[in-house]
Amino acid sequence: RIVGSAKARELYLMNEKIRAEEAIRIGLISKIIPARGETFQQEVHKIAQEMATAAPLALKRIKANLVDADRTTFQEHLDIEAERHTRCGYHEDAKEAGTSF
């Protein structure tokens, strides 16, 4: 879905490597991080820290929403996401988050 049916088939069947710039352009990746040196380690650590400090239940449901988006119709997905969002609102984490600000 990200790159479209024709491009997905081309990538899958032709097994050609693509450059990072092309992957960004077609939406396969969201960021290019140099693979060597201090910058890479810093960026990876920063992303890991952000995820580690996120609410675990919310993060779990966000991941599920992303997976389900590829398997359901738009309307089905809206219903599933709304139900998950509602369940998060009743959890202790939500109550604590509300009083934190």
Side-chain angles (χ1 to χ4, degrees):
R1 287 185 179 188
I2 292 171
V3 299
S5 179
K7 187 65 175 178
R9 286 184 173 125
E10 176 188 333
L11 292 170
Y12 191 59
L13 294 171
M14 302 307 290
N15 195 29
E16 294 176 4
K17 291 183 179 181
I18 62 172
R19 298 186 54 75
E21 295 79 13
E22 173 71 359
I24 284 259
R25 189 185 70 72
I26 64 175
L28 275 180
I29 61 174
S30 60
K31 182 188 253 185
I32 298 172
I33 302 170
R36 294 186 178 91
E38 192 70 23
T39 303
F40 179 77
Q41 292 297 327
Q42 289 171 348
E43 284 293 318
V44 169
H45 184 72
K46 179 182 168 189
I47 292 167
Q49 282 293 111
E50 288 177 19
M51 291 183 75
T53 60
L57 180 63
L59 194 57
K60 178 181 177 180
R61 299 243 167 91
I62 289 168
K63 289 178 184 179
N65 286 340
L66 293 170
V67 169
D68 289 345
D70 290 334
R71 300 179 182 162
T72 59
T73 67
F74 182 68
Q75 186 58 51
E76 290 169 333
H77 189 69
L78 287 177
D79 293 340
I80 291 167
E81 191 169 335
E83 189 268 331
R84 285 182 179 138
H85 185 76
T86 300
R87 279 194 283 155
C88 279
Y90 289 110
H91 195 272
E92 285 296 316
D93 287 355
K95 294 173 188 169
E96 181 181 331
T99 60
S100 296
F101 292 99

